[in-house]
Amino acid sequence: MTGARGAACGDGAFTQWHLGGKLLPSAADVKKDWSDHALWWEKKKTWLLKTHWTLDKYGIQADARLLFTPQHKLLRLQLPNMKHMKVKVNFSDRVFKAVSDICKTFNIRHPEELSLLRKPRDPKKKKKKLEGMEEDSLDPLSPTTAWFGDSPLSEGNPSILAVSQPISSPDMLVKLYKPQSLLDKAKINQGWLDSSRSLMEQDVKENDVLLLRFKYHSFFDLNPKYDAIRVNQLYEQAKWAILLEEIECTEEEMMMFAALQYHINKLSIMSSDNHMNNSEKEVDEVDAALSDLEITLEGGKTSNTLGDITSIPELADYVKVFKPKKLTLKGYKQYWCTFKDITISCYKSREEAHGTPALQMNLRGCEVTPDVNISGQKFNIKLLIPVADGMNEIWLRCDTEKQYAHWMAACRLASKGKTMADSSYNLEVQNILSFLKMQHMNPDPQFIAEPINTDINPECLVSPRYLKKYKNKQISARILEAHQNVAQMSLIEAKMRFIQAWQSLPEFGITHFLAKFQGGKKEELIGITYNRLIRMDAGTGDAIKTWRFSNMKQWNVNWEIKMQVTVEFADEPSLAFICAEVDCKVVHEFIGGYIFLSTRAKDQNESLDEEMFYKLTSGWV
């Protein structure tokens, strides 16, 4: 054949020829459907998907090795509930598109919140042993063989993903990797795949195991009527994060989470046969209750309410204030405090409230952290307020739960630049009060509706540290006491409460990365949340400085070394840091991804602007 050259190909020894530079298939096995096949250039890690291009245009020489291979391949996904499912995924699609197709198959709305993560490796375990355990733990639910883009789920029933399955054995907790420090948590985040490149481009092989997880902690329009699977998988991700101590919580909070988990397990088992048939009825019954559980759309578009243009509510009360300083043991000092707009003013007494305040704090951009102990009647609010040279630390101590709820809600809104006139203020107050109520122990410990010897299995309900601290009978008693506060909840309400309580934890939504800041001498942490960047102490996790996305002008990456990120702000010095042990593209994508999520609005349709996502997360790659 004059002017023809061949390229070596794999997968069935199918040879791809071109004549005069144009791609031509051979006549071999022409009856087979090759529509899903495409050429893969191994050396350059590139799919040759532009069929109108010639091999010369791709820069392919005669000695190039090309694979003629199916684009859809099997992938083993570990879902947030730790169960594995086999799916056929398009290995030539960008990961963002592949995840959208996976979520469509699983009936999970808002796939932009999820992504794929490589399985973390426990450095304490040998590789061979770990791989063996991985295979042993593979226990597929109805294996899925979906062909994305052509038809819905062809085998298996995705509705089973809406049903929570209790942890069958404590051994499962033992096998799973548990981060021991903030640095371990940062290393886990090295494993996020690049959403702008395909699986094959990132060395993912057929039958590899990847984790499907909620990557961005900004859950938009979470509605039990349409999101049964999404709610359950969110609950499962939250549950495992708490059990594996990926997120810190107090002892009282742990018992509350355990009680909710125990309650959910009971209801799930009781309704396993007819849960799906009764789900619509159940949702209707708890609609009123769920109106109090609306999850705030952090970073989403909000509209001004009438309250914003009329009188703005204020708080005024005696509050104890503590300003920590080195080499001092001075405690809290009581002030008459007024909270107006987003500013707290502290006076020595109520009578001096019309004069000059002894202390004044503007809370825009501050870090707000709860420090609560119900049994000890401690209701503290920790404020880290941005200043030119770092952060000012101020602690507020309230006397009652009601006072704490109002001041805490006001501080959270003020940190976002919102006042108490915002429509979400009263909802935030009620959510905080509800969260505190769930942590209350029964006033009469002797009154427990169920016998202690019930099969409560505390090893599957609390994290390892509490198993070491208390005997199983003690933990069981504590869980059953806490259960009295949640025993009347429906299944869907209990899951929503669990998610809400997870969101209320101080560490919620912070993704950590190891970094070295410009001018810094040691490695620190950069924390990324839905609306800000946080410079953190690598040992303690304390916030040193905060930068809000709303004040950002642009963020750039030095793509030549793929290590340095530079962020410019409107009214403060630029920020530069070098990523340690991770490609800065991962960090860049988190920033751009959260900004992309902040553009979502309820009045827009369900379609995603993929190109806008790539523009915000890909840079100039």
Side-chain angles (χ1 to χ4, degrees):
M1 187 181 292
T2 306
R5 291 184 298 177
C9 299
D11 245 41
F14 186 93
T15 304
Q16 184 78 26
W17 293 88
H18 74 97
L19 181 62
K22 295 195 175 181
L23 295 176
L24 293 172
S26 77
D29 204 10
V30 292
K31 292 182 180 180
K32 184 172 180 178
D33 182 6
W34 301 100
S35 60
D36 187 50
H37 282 60
L39 286 171
W40 169 252
W41 189 1
E42 278 188 313
K43 185 177 180 181
K44 298 291 185 179
K45 291 186 180 179
T46 302
W47 284 97
L48 277 57
L49 299 177
K50 297 177 181 178
T51 54
H52 61 284
W53 278 27
T54 64
L55 294 178
D56 289 334
K57 191 168 183 178
Y58 271 112
I60 294 174
Q61 302 300 316
D63 60 348
R65 184 174 188 271
L66 304 180
L67 294 179
F68 189 62
T69 181
Q71 297 172 71
H72 287 82
K73 301 175 186 292
L74 277 175
L75 192 65
R76 294 183 295 169
L77 286 182
Q78 187 198 70
L79 274 59
N81 63 358
M82 296 297 182
K83 298 296 182 181
H84 290 73
M85 296 190 80
K86 292 181 180 179
V87 294
K88 263 195 174 178
V89 180
N90 192 332
F91 273 54
S92 67
D93 271 343
R94 294 178 177 183
V95 166
F96 185 83
K97 175 65 165 59
V99 170
S100 294
D101 287 338
I102 291 168
C103 290
K104 185 177 180 181
T105 302
F106 290 164
N107 197 21
I108 297 175
R109 294 197 310 148
H110 298 292
E112 67 275 13
E113 298 168 0
L114 298 93
S115 194
L116 298 174
L117 179 69
R118 296 184 194 275
K119 209 160 190 177
R121 295 292 184 187
D122 189 341
K124 295 180 181 179
K125 294 181 180 179
K126 293 182 179 179
K127 187 176 182 181
K128 289 184 179 179
K129 184 179 179 182
L130 182 67
E131 289 174 348
M133 289 172 63
E134 181 179 283
E135 291 299 322
D136 290 340
S137 66
L138 191 68
D139 182 22
L141 299 172
S142 305
T144 306
T145 54
W147 188 274
F148 299 131
D150 293 340
S151 64
L153 202 65
S154 59
E155 292 183 20
N157 180 9
S159 62
I160 195 173
L161 301 179
V163 181
S164 176
Q165 296 182 326
I167 300 171
S168 56
S169 168
D171 294 339
M172 189 174 180
L173 279 170
V174 176
K175 290 181 180 179
L176 294 172
Y177 173 65
K178 302 174 188 66
Q180 302 298 312
S181 65
L182 287 170
L183 296 181
D184 288 343
K185 294 176 186 178
K187 288 177 181 177
I188 290 176
N189 292 314
Q190 297 172 14
W192 289 107
L193 295 190
D194 186 337
S195 297
S196 302
R197 295 194 294 151
S198 71
L199 293 169
M200 289 271 279
E201 290 175 84
Q202 301 180 70
D203 298 319
V204 177
K205 305 290 191 298
E206 186 167 17
N207 281 316
D208 277 358
V209 176
L210 290 177
L211 280 54
L212 179 68
R213 294 290 185 271
F214 289 88
K215 175 179 180 178
Y216 300 104
H217 291 75
S218 179
F219 314 129
F220 187 77
D221 189 26
L222 195 61
N223 190 325
K225 285 187 176 181
Y226 313 112
D227 292 322
I229 292 174
R230 184 170 168 226
V231 167
N232 187 59
Q233 295 301 318
L234 259 176
Y235 157 71
E236 290 285 347
Q237 185 161 325
K239 177 183 80 176
W240 285 105
I242 289 162
L243 290 177
L244 297 177
E245 299 178 1
E246 292 173 5
I247 187 168
E248 292 289 328
C249 64
T250 66
E251 187 172 311
E252 288 171 334
E253 289 165 345
M254 178 59 72
M255 297 307 162
M256 174 201 64
F257 283 121
L260 281 168
Q261 189 185 337
Y262 171 62
H263 186 62
I264 291 166
N265 290 347
K266 282 180 59 179
L267 295 184
S268 297
I269 293 170
M270 289 166 56
S271 60
S272 58
D273 294 331
N274 58 3
H275 169 68
M276 299 314 298
N277 295 329
N278 296 335
S279 59
E280 289 298 324
K281 179 182 177 183
E282 182 185 50
V283 167
D284 290 338
E285 289 174 351
V286 299
D287 266 349
L290 291 176
S291 64
D292 294 331
L293 294 170
E294 178 185 345
I295 294 184
T296 305
L297 306 181
E298 307 286 16
K301 288 184 177 178
T302 55
S303 57
N304 289 331
T305 61
L306 289 176
D308 288 320
I309 57 176
T310 57
S311 60
I312 297 178
E314 299 175 0
L315 292 174
D317 208 344
Y318 279 106
V319 178
K320 296 180 178 69
V321 180
F322 175 49
K323 190 172 182 180
K325 292 182 180 179
K326 292 182 179 179
L327 304 177
T328 179
L329 297 176
K330 291 183 179 179
Y332 286 89
K333 185 176 180 180
Q334 184 167 276
Y335 287 93
W336 175 259
C337 297
T338 61
F339 203 139
K340 299 180 181 180
D341 294 325
I342 58 174
T343 301
I344 297 178
S345 300
C346 305
Y347 303 89
K348 292 182 178 179
S349 66
R350 185 174 186 175
E351 291 70 32
E352 297 181 25
H354 297 293
T356 303
L359 178 66
Q360 196 165 50
M361 300 165 276
N362 184 303
L363 269 54
R364 183 188 294 272
C366 77
E367 295 289 317
V368 183
T369 306
D371 179 29
V372 175
N373 185 303
I374 301 293
S375 57
Q377 288 294 291
K378 182 175 73 173
F379 306 104
N380 291 347
I381 303 170
K382 179 182 177 182
L383 302 174
L384 288 173
I385 303 169
V387 292
D389 58 347
M391 306 287 280
N392 272 346
E393 185 174 351
I394 304 289
W395 289 66
L396 306 180
R397 170 165 285 184
C398 299
D399 292 327
T400 65
E401 291 184 24
K402 186 175 180 181
Q403 184 189 39
Y404 168 80
H406 282 87
W407 283 79
M408 185 64 171
C411 288
R412 284 178 174 169
L413 285 176
S415 72
K416 305 169 194 173
K418 299 178 182 179
T419 71
M420 285 172 275
D422 190 88
S423 59
S424 64
Y425 174 67
N426 288 330
L427 177 63
E428 183 71 21
V429 171
Q430 292 306 312
N431 283 342
I432 293 170
L433 287 171
S434 175
F435 184 52
L436 295 175
K437 182 181 178 182
M438 285 193 294
Q439 296 178 60
H440 276 279
M441 293 295 103
N442 196 292
D444 183 5
Q446 300 302 316
F447 176 72
I448 297 177
E450 301 166 74
I452 287 292
N453 61 1
T454 185
D455 187 18
I456 195 168
N457 211 0
E459 300 98 326
C460 299
L461 299 175
V462 300
S463 65
R465 73 171 65 177
Y466 296 106
L467 294 173
K468 296 175 183 177
K469 188 174 181 180
Y470 299 105
K471 294 179 180 179
N472 281 4
K473 284 187 177 180
Q474 292 175 306
I475 298 174
S476 296
R478 293 278 301 276
I479 292 172
L480 290 175
E481 287 174 29
H483 182 245
Q484 302 309 306
N485 299 317
V486 302
Q488 302 307 312
M489 291 182 185
S490 68
L491 180 58
I492 191 72
E493 185 183 358
K495 289 179 183 178
M496 292 287 281
R497 286 285 185 186
F498 196 103
I499 295 168
Q500 180 202 21
W502 175 45
Q503 288 182 298
S504 298
L505 297 177
E507 289 185 2
F508 170 79
I510 302 177
T511 305
H512 302 90
F513 296 97
L514 196 60
K516 190 171 183 180
F517 289 83
Q518 192 173 50
K521 295 181 179 179
K522 61 179 181 178
E523 288 186 336
E524 299 172 80
L525 290 175
I526 184 82
I528 304 177
T529 73
Y530 75 96
N531 65 349
R532 63 196 186 280
L533 297 172
I534 313 168
R535 183 175 183 174
M536 309 172 75
D537 183 283
T540 64
D542 290 341
I544 300 170
K545 174 77 174 173
T546 297
W547 299 269
R548 300 187 78 80
F549 291 159
S550 58
N551 197 32
M552 279 173 43
K553 290 171 61 179
Q554 63 178 1
W555 66 103
N556 306 310
V557 171
N558 185 331
W559 295 111
E560 293 181 1
I561 59 173
K562 288 195 174 183
M563 292 287 283
Q564 182 169 295
V565 179
T566 304
V567 187
E568 294 183 19
F569 300 94
D571 54 7
E572 56 184 311
S574 61
L575 163 69
F577 58 90
I578 295 174
C579 301
E581 301 183 7
V582 64
D583 190 328
C584 67
K585 173 65 170 63
V586 179
V587 177
H588 183 277
E589 186 173 306
F590 263 93
I591 298 172
Y594 271 123
I595 291 173
F596 173 76
L597 296 189
S598 73
T599 66
R600 297 178 296 181
K602 282 189 176 181
D603 56 356
Q604 69 186 28
N605 57 32
E606 291 289 322
S607 63
L608 291 172
D609 188 345
E610 283 188 46
E611 290 308 311
M612 177 59 72
F613 177 85
Y614 297 136
K615 284 179 182 178
L616 289 170
T617 59
S618 303
W620 297 275
V621 189

